[in-house]
Amino acid sequence: MDMLNNAIKGYQNKVLTAAEVIEELIKLAKEIKESDSLANELKLSDFEYAFYSAVAENDSARELMGQDKLRELAIVLTSTIRNNVSVDWTIKESARAKIRTVVKRLLRKYGYPPDMELLATELVLHQAEVIADQLVS
């Protein structure tokens, strides 16, 4: 979404030409297709893949933990977050703190690199916010 917004803003601000925007859109489409194929290959749902992407963004985590362990972590994160979110969790700081604590514990349990734990926690929370409506229902 960010890539799409950046391309549109670049065009609107006359930084990018129409041809460059089309190139960006083609590049974005290829990345989405690759992402979908990886999700299918890993047999992850859309929610699980969102969390997988958040925890696998770190190169050292991918090297240290491997794809299978990250996949397992994503599945557990999805289930745990789904079971712990409430309707107002994105608004109430106490509810957010509870989710943040749960995520940190899971990252530690699965051996996520401690130096990248804070970033991964924030990415997971951001992903959870993006899909919050579906998680609560």
Side-chain angles (χ1 to χ4, degrees):
M1 195 66 178
D2 291 337
M3 289 175 63
L4 179 59
N5 285 334
N6 289 338
I8 292 170
K9 284 179 186 174
Y11 180 73
Q12 289 172 338
N13 295 333
K14 302 203 187 315
V15 175
L16 297 174
T17 65
E20 290 170 328
V21 171
I22 291 171
E23 286 178 29
E24 287 292 319
L25 292 174
I26 291 170
K27 181 179 168 186
L28 179 61
K30 287 179 183 179
E31 288 183 19
I32 290 171
K33 189 174 182 178
E34 288 173 15
S35 174
D36 286 347
S37 67
L38 181 58
N40 289 337
E41 178 184 320
L42 294 172
K43 295 182 173 88
L44 294 173
S45 70
D46 292 339
F47 296 143
E48 292 165 345
Y49 187 71
F51 294 122
Y52 175 86
S53 298
V55 295
E57 187 168 296
N58 178 344
D59 292 335
S60 62
R62 281 194 310 269
E63 291 173 16
L64 178 67
M65 298 176 68
Q67 196 175 51
D68 291 337
K69 197 164 188 179
L70 286 171
R71 178 188 178 278
E72 183 180 336
L73 174 59
I75 292 169
V76 172
L77 277 169
T78 305
S79 172
T80 304
I81 290 173
R82 181 176 274 137
N83 292 334
N84 284 286
V85 294
S86 58
V87 174
D88 60 352
W89 79 273
T90 57
I91 300 167
K92 283 189 168 181
E93 188 52 41
S94 61
R96 284 182 61 82
K98 177 184 173 188
I99 299 295
R100 186 177 290 112
T101 302
V102 167
V103 170
K104 285 181 180 180
R105 284 185 185 148
L106 283 173
L107 292 173
R108 286 186 196 122
K109 178 181 176 183
Y110 279 83
Y112 200 84
D115 61 325
M116 299 305 290
E117 182 182 294
L118 180 62
L119 178 62
T121 302
E122 292 307 314
L123 286 172
V124 168
L125 285 173
H126 179 69
Q127 290 289 40
E129 287 173 3
V130 170
I131 57 177
D133 293 338
Q134 292 95 2
L135 284 174
V136 174
S137 58

